[in-house]
Amino acid sequence: MKSRFTLRLSVGLIALIAAAGSASAAKTQINALFMTQAAYSENDIRAMTSDFEKQHPDISVNLEFVPYEALHDKIVAARGAGSNGYDVVLFDAIWPAEFTKFDLLQDVSSRIAKEERAKIFPGALKTVVYQGKTLGMPWILDTKYLYYNKAMLQKAGISQPPQTWQQVLDDAQQIKAKNIVKYPLVWSWSQSEALICDYTTLVSGNGGQFYQNGKLNFTNPASLNAVTLMKTSLDKGLTNPASREYLEEDVRKAFSNGDAAFALNWTYMYNMANDPKQSKVAGDVGIVPAPGDAPGKVGAVNGSMGLGIAKTSQHAEQSWQYISYMTSQPVQNKYAKLSLPIWKSSYDDPAVSKGQESLLAAAKKSLDVMLSRPETADYSRLSNTLQQQLQQILQGQETPEAGLQAADKSAARLR
Amino acid sequence: MLSLQQREHRQAWVLLAPMLVVMFLLTAWPLGRTIWLSFTDAALIGSGGAPGYVGLENYLYALTDPDFQASILRTLWFTVVSVAIEGVIGVLVALLLNQRFYGRNILRVLVILPWALPTIVNAMMWRLNFNPDYGSVNALLTQLGIIDGYRSWLGSPDSALNAVMLADIWKNYPLVTLLVLAALQSIPDDLFEAARLDGASAWRRFRAITFPAIVAPLSVALVLRTIDAFKIFDIIYVMTRGGPVDSTKTLSFFVYQESFSYLRAGSGAAYAILMALMCGVLITLYMIMLLRQRRRSTANET
């Protein structure tokens, strides 16, 4: 009696172990970290991933989403988890220097063929390349554009979208004077990276750079013009003062609600602001490249992001298959209404361009001039100090000159 | 041959040992490691080599760092003002809820609700309340005619810290209420009856009967709140992330940024140790106060 029970038990156990063993051999699980955002929403990324899993039944992808503001710290903190951490991570264009210093991502240079590279926008590729190493594949190609409300401009008797920042201010003044909207301009100037992106767009439009003779320099004329413009627009009541606590989503909501004539925002706002379900101004949304200080000049910030493989990942091969799929041209084309493809030839595809011709026309000009934010391993600290100084200026606690001098000083102190 | 007492001692140690080991692993070891880290230039994630010993450099840097000094003052302001207000409101509400009136029990449950709410939910809720475009605070104040237009409460350095404090007070005064109310209910009614017969005024009755009964639980509540308020982090992370112009950057947020955003584990540890020391001073002051009070009340009794 007893022996029969033991026998049955051991047979059962062996079967169980065998089943577990074969299951784990058949399926590799990789962990991927993304952000909750509007461009590719959580649902879109889940849809892409489940398509990938259907094509690769041997790989299952475990997705995690955090807000952009937590993404950096999450990637860094996961390093402590070793091989139990993430395999695939989404990273911003500003982090490669720091991630290289701390060796957080695998160099995938050898995985991308030369011909492949040539098909990608150079600006997008720059996002993932640092000091000759390629840390992943660019996935979100993005910059900020100037959005305008066609109906409001028309009402104010303005027939053409503005070509320079001075014109933006003049038009805004006119719109305000005619009482069409209380604050014609809206930006994302909260103490966050969004503020640096708006500022960089303005610096770029003024023909500026962050480095002079290899040193960080924020007191150059372009930078000073950029900040002065920001402050002036607030002082004149042209910029919504709540911009100083806005993130990009607040800007989108204000613009979509018809509370602004002009807004600076990423690509994703174009189709959302034109969607009658979530926007009161659908059909009236115009888009142009962020202007510069002279007609014909354009400003843009490199706001692209890439997908990389964590250094500690044990499943580099599967991770790369996943990244390749997510960044592949068919997938990017399919979701082009949410985020522009990194592939040059995508733009010849009518399925990609249909319905967003004016976005693509703006993108053609902007993507060529995208200014990168300073590439330094100490970027987080630099950005935080700069955010604080810029806000001090915007709150009227400091003059633009004094604020930028202070920013220069703290940049020089970075170790 | 061991005496009975010695044997008992030994047995006690044997029984305590597992707990002591666990306590050491959970408290002493991480604390010791943090102290050691604070004397190094360690990065949060190593780039290969061992961190270098830098002596007191991190501490010297911290103590001369104007940003750190500003955040100490900010944190003290936050702690003192919010705890004081929480104390006053807490006691007043407890006195009110101790009265007999219709619907008292429902009100008691309602008062405790904010305290039972997770901090994150509370912070999100208040961020919406303070929203510059559709927040209820703006709507209320405009409708009452107190302000003439919607304001950006969390976007202005003058009001952001106060707005965060309001959210903290709203969430935490119920703890004071809860403890004080429990003490109030333990006072026998005859005491008040007798005092009233003796012709004592309401204020006199409060001073002679109510206050001595609630002073001990109130002190405990305030000590707990002080320590908590000094460490304030989550509400700030959700509502303002330290902005605008660093006006809500408290010590905890400062330490967090140094360690996790800038990856400086070494100096982050130094800041954290300094913060722990300051918290220690606060607690010691309170303990002295509590002991004095107890001595005074036992002296009164005898």
Side-chain angles (χ1 to χ4, degrees):
Chain A
M1 187 70 193
K2 194 186 166 200
S3 65
R4 199 192 264 173
F5 176 75
T6 327
L7 184 73
R8 218 184 277 162
L9 188 73
S10 46
V11 168
L13 269 178
I14 289 167
L16 205 69
I17 292 165
S22 65
S24 69
K27 231 175 179 137
T28 311
Q29 181 174 307
I30 56 173
N31 297 317
L33 179 68
F34 288 94
M35 63 173 181
T36 39
Q37 53 151 9
Y40 293 136
S41 75
E42 192 171 325
N43 287 337
D44 300 319
I45 296 170
R46 286 194 190 284
M48 293 176 201
T49 305
S50 90
D51 288 345
F52 168 79
E53 284 174 334
K54 269 178 217 143
Q55 292 183 21
H56 298 83
D58 52 329
I59 304 174
S60 81
V61 187
N62 180 31
L63 296 172
E64 189 178 328
F65 294 87
V66 294
Y68 171 81
E69 285 73 33
L71 191 59
H72 169 273
D73 299 355
K74 197 90 178 165
I75 295 172
V76 169
R79 162 73 171 259
S83 56
N84 294 321
Y86 303 109
D87 298 287
V88 174
V89 294
L90 176 67
F91 63 95
D92 199 359
I94 46 185
W95 301 332
E98 180 187 3
F99 285 5
T100 302
K101 181 178 169 194
F102 293 111
D103 206 11
L104 280 176
L105 296 175
Q106 299 187 7
D107 184 358
V108 293
S109 305
S110 59
R111 293 181 188 268
I112 312 172
K114 216 173 181 183
E115 317 86 71
E116 285 286 287
R117 276 172 203 269
K119 292 181 191 161
I120 302 172
F121 274 110
L125 206 54
K126 222 175 132 195
T127 306
V128 294
V129 175
Y130 182 72
Q131 288 181 346
K133 279 186 184 171
T134 308
L135 299 173
M137 273 291 275
W139 186 47
I140 298 173
L141 171 63
D142 215 347
T143 188
K144 287 206 169 183
Y145 300 94
L146 182 72
Y147 289 87
Y148 62 95
N149 185 317
K150 291 179 193 164
M152 284 185 190
L153 260 62
Q154 211 170 20
K155 221 169 156 189
I158 303 162
S159 53
Q160 285 287 320
Q163 292 241 351
T164 63
W165 278 113
Q166 191 50 51
Q167 270 176 27
V168 174
L169 293 190
D170 294 345
D171 289 357
Q173 191 84 59
Q174 207 168 323
I175 290 166
K176 190 180 171 80
K178 292 196 172 161
N179 254 335
I180 295 167
V181 65
K182 191 172 179 195
Y183 298 115
L185 279 158
V186 62
W187 317 69
S188 43
W189 289 349
S190 73
Q191 187 165 340
S192 67
E193 195 55 37
L195 167 60
I196 305 295
C197 293
D198 280 11
Y199 162 73
T200 304
T201 308
L202 286 168
V203 172
S204 140
N206 280 291
Q209 293 281 339
F210 288 120
Y211 286 94
Q212 269 175 354
N213 309 323
K215 263 174 75 179
L216 278 169
N217 181 321
F218 298 109
T219 39
N220 57 63
S223 181
L224 210 58
N225 285 344
V227 179
T228 311
L229 183 129
M230 293 162 91
K231 183 70 172 65
T232 314
S233 74
L234 272 169
D235 290 345
K236 288 191 173 164
L238 303 176
T239 283
N240 188 336
S243 295
R244 291 174 294 193
E245 67 166 283
Y246 278 171
L247 288 168
E248 290 91 338
E249 272 295 87
D250 304 303
V251 170
R252 178 177 76 81
K253 282 173 193 153
F255 186 82
S256 300
N257 205 32
D259 295 334
F262 296 104
L264 199 68
N265 213 341
W266 305 106
T267 314
Y268 84 93
M269 186 165 106
Y270 185 70
N271 283 298
M272 292 181 95
N274 261 325
D275 174 5
K277 270 186 234 140
Q278 44 189 333
S279 167
K280 289 185 191 163
V281 300
D284 286 328
V285 182
I287 185 173
V288 283
D293 54 358
K297 263 173 95 176
V298 166
V301 52
N302 184 4
S304 307
M305 294 182 85
L307 288 173
I309 306 173
K311 189 79 180 186
T312 47
S313 169
Q314 303 266 311
H315 308 293
E317 203 44 55
Q318 290 87 347
S319 299
W320 185 250
Q321 282 178 26
Y322 180 58
I323 292 176
S324 304
Y325 177 83
M326 296 294 272
T327 54
S328 67
Q329 197 161 3
V331 175
Q332 290 231 307
N333 286 1
K334 187 175 167 191
Y335 291 89
K337 291 273 179 295
L338 302 166
S339 185
L340 292 178
I342 56 167
W343 307 95
K344 292 178 192 165
S345 61
S346 288
Y347 297 83
D348 306 331
D349 183 348
V352 169
S353 52
K354 195 171 169 267
Q356 43 185 9
E357 291 80 4
S358 43
L359 167 65
L360 292 183
K364 258 184 196 144
K365 290 185 191 155
S366 296
L367 296 179
D368 281 340
V369 296
M370 293 196 298
L371 178 62
S372 289
R373 286 159 280 170
E375 285 170 3
T376 152
D378 231 346
Y379 183 77
S380 298
R381 181 180 286 253
L382 174 70
S383 168
N384 270 319
T385 331
L386 196 56
Q387 288 164 27
Q388 196 207 336
Q389 290 304 337
L390 289 175
Q391 276 214 326
Q392 219 151 10
I393 297 167
L394 297 177
Q395 297 281 359
Q397 297 181 345
E398 246 175 13
T399 62
E401 289 83 5
L404 291 177
Q405 266 164 20
D408 261 354
K409 244 181 163 174
S410 35
R413 267 209 313 265
L414 289 183
R415 287 176 276 184
Chain B
M1 193 64 193
L2 294 167
S3 72
L4 184 66
Q5 206 185 5
Q6 277 171 322
R7 255 185 292 159
E8 263 182 2
H9 263 267
R10 197 200 277 175
Q11 209 170 8
W13 277 112
V14 170
L15 290 174
L16 279 175
M19 201 226 9
L20 288 175
V21 170
V22 170
M23 264 182 61
F24 175 80
L25 288 176
L26 289 181
T27 322
W29 187 77
L31 186 68
R33 199 177 142 74
T34 308
I35 293 173
W36 174 77
L37 269 180
S38 73
F39 294 111
T40 68
D41 61 358
L44 185 67
I45 38 176
S47 46
Y53 177 77
V54 295
L56 285 173
E57 195 188 290
N58 287 332
Y59 286 95
L60 292 177
Y61 186 84
L63 291 172
T64 53
D65 179 0
D67 282 347
F68 187 60
Q69 288 158 4
S71 84
I72 294 176
L73 289 180
R74 205 172 292 131
T75 310
L76 284 177
W77 168 258
F78 181 94
T79 308
V80 171
V81 177
S82 23
V83 173
I85 297 178
E86 280 161 24
V88 173
I89 297 181
V91 171
L92 289 178
V93 173
L95 288 173
L96 177 75
L97 290 180
N98 197 38
Q99 306 298 315
R100 281 199 191 86
F101 58 89
Y102 183 72
R104 180 176 72 164
N105 287 338
I106 295 175
L107 203 61
R108 278 186 184 173
V109 174
L110 286 181
V111 161
I112 295 178
L113 269 183
W115 183 67
L117 220 58
T119 314
I120 296 295
V121 177
N122 178 52
M124 286 298 289
M125 190 185 82
W126 278 100
R127 204 171 80 176
L128 290 176
N129 282 341
F130 283 119
N131 186 288
D133 304 317
Y134 45 80
S136 58
V137 174
N138 272 325
L140 181 74
L141 293 179
T142 321
Q143 277 161 26
L144 290 177
I146 296 172
I147 53 171
D148 52 1
Y150 278 25
R151 290 206 194 146
S152 166
W153 299 97
L154 297 174
S156 154
D158 306 321
S159 57
L161 188 62
N162 292 335
V164 174
M165 275 158 69
L166 182 66
D168 185 69
I169 292 167
W170 186 83
K171 174 164 168 45
N172 287 310
Y173 84 85
L175 176 73
V176 182
T177 301
L178 205 64
L179 291 173
V180 171
L181 186 60
L184 284 175
Q185 287 180 327
S186 68
I187 308 174
D189 279 346
D190 333 359
L191 277 178
F192 289 106
E193 206 75 3
R196 218 172 278 137
L197 286 177
D198 288 343
S201 66
W203 171 241
R204 180 95 185 91
R205 289 201 300 272
F206 176 78
R207 266 190 50 202
I209 307 171
T210 314
F211 191 69
I214 62 168
V215 71
L218 181 62
S219 316
V220 171
L222 293 185
V223 172
L224 288 177
R225 284 302 311 135
T226 304
I227 297 169
D228 249 11
F230 195 76
K231 298 184 302 190
I232 188 77
F233 176 80
D234 29 19
I235 225 173
I236 292 192
Y237 186 90
V238 176
M239 284 179 77
T240 59
R241 291 190 70 89
V245 201
D246 280 358
S247 62
T248 56
K249 196 163 152 189
T250 56
L251 283 173
S252 290
F253 202 80
F254 194 97
V255 173
Y256 164 79
Q257 231 175 24
E258 188 74 14
S259 315
F260 293 97
S261 298
Y262 309 155
L263 312 181
R264 297 182 190 283
S267 57
Y271 285 118
I273 297 287
L274 286 174
M275 190 183 151
L277 288 176
M278 283 179 251
C279 209
V281 170
L282 275 182
I283 295 168
T284 316
L285 285 177
Y286 262 118
M287 293 308 271
I288 293 172
M289 226 169 69
L290 279 179
L291 284 176
R292 270 210 199 132
Q293 231 159 39
R294 186 169 298 168
R295 226 173 283 149
R296 215 180 296 147
S297 61
T298 41
N300 281 349
E301 276 165 28
T302 49

